[in-house]
Amino acid sequence: MNPIRAIISGFRNYANFEGRASRSEYWWFYGFFVSLLIGIFVVSIVWQAALFTLWGIYFAGMLLPLMAVTVRRLHDVDRPGTWAILGIIPFAGLRLTRILVRPGTAGPNQYGPDPLRPSPEPRCPKCGWLWWPEAQFCADCGASSR
């Protein structure tokens, strides 16, 4: 997943704690979070009146999307989302980072399909045309239902 798609996906699924997130989605979104954090830090050094206001607004706005993408990333490595709490415990955050860096479970797991290798779409056995969701016949060759 490219950086722009990962950031958009993180914001689009800002409150989605279901499913899975690939490593690239998580780390690009996290990199975006840290980059803005550094930018706010620089601005707050130059203009100290903005320090508490900017930091408060930023953390309030980014907490939910960051937690959601972290939980989905944990689901990708087949761990429960409650393990995200490790991030606030001193030294346990290192263990969480090691888990988040690991490749996801290949294929579907208990949390959903693999984000990198989605299930193949149903296709007509005769001509290979993509089936419509409730189709009884193939739209291309007319073969009967699956």
Side-chain angles (χ1 to χ4, degrees), residues 4-94:
I4 302 299
R5 274 191 174 186
I7 293 165
I8 290 171
S9 174
F11 283 117
R12 198 173 273 160
N13 295 307
Y14 74 96
N16 180 11
F17 291 86
E18 302 292 322
R20 297 166 63 175
S22 65
R23 278 189 294 184
S24 60
E25 180 182 355
Y26 175 78
W27 289 109
W28 282 119
F29 189 78
Y30 188 77
F32 174 76
F33 169 76
V34 171
S35 299
L36 280 180
L37 188 66
I38 291 169
I40 290 172
F41 177 73
V42 169
V43 167
S44 63
I45 287 173
V46 174
W47 187 37
Q48 290 187 0
L51 180 67
F52 293 113
T53 306
L54 283 176
W55 284 75
I57 291 170
Y58 181 70
F59 277 112
M62 290 295 288
L63 184 63
L64 188 62
L66 191 59
M67 288 304 297
V69 76
T70 302
V71 167
R72 289 195 319 272
R73 178 69 196 124
L74 284 167
H75 287 172
D76 192 40
V77 293
D78 212 11
R79 300 286 192 271
T82 54
W83 282 36
I85 295 170
L86 291 175
I88 61 172
I89 301 170
F91 300 109
L94 296 174

Side-chain angles (χ1 to χ4, degrees), residues 58-140:
Y58 181 70
F59 277 112
M62 290 295 288
L63 184 63
L64 188 62
L66 191 59
M67 288 304 297
V69 76
T70 302
V71 167
R72 289 195 319 272
R73 178 69 196 124
L74 284 167
H75 287 172
D76 192 40
V77 293
D78 212 11
R79 300 286 192 271
T82 54
W83 282 36
I85 295 170
L86 291 175
I88 61 172
I89 301 170
F91 300 109
L94 296 174
R95 173 74 174 139
L96 178 64
T97 302
R98 286 183 54 211
I99 292 169
L100 294 172
V101 169
R102 293 179 45 203
T105 307
N109 67 14
Q110 63 181 333
Y111 298 105
D114 189 341
L116 298 179
R117 297 169 213 80
S119 313
E121 296 118 354
R123 296 193 173 270
C124 175
K126 185 176 177 186
C127 69
W129 190 265
L130 185 64
W131 283 98
W132 289 86
E134 288 97 27
Q136 299 296 320
F137 297 93
C138 175
D140 188 46

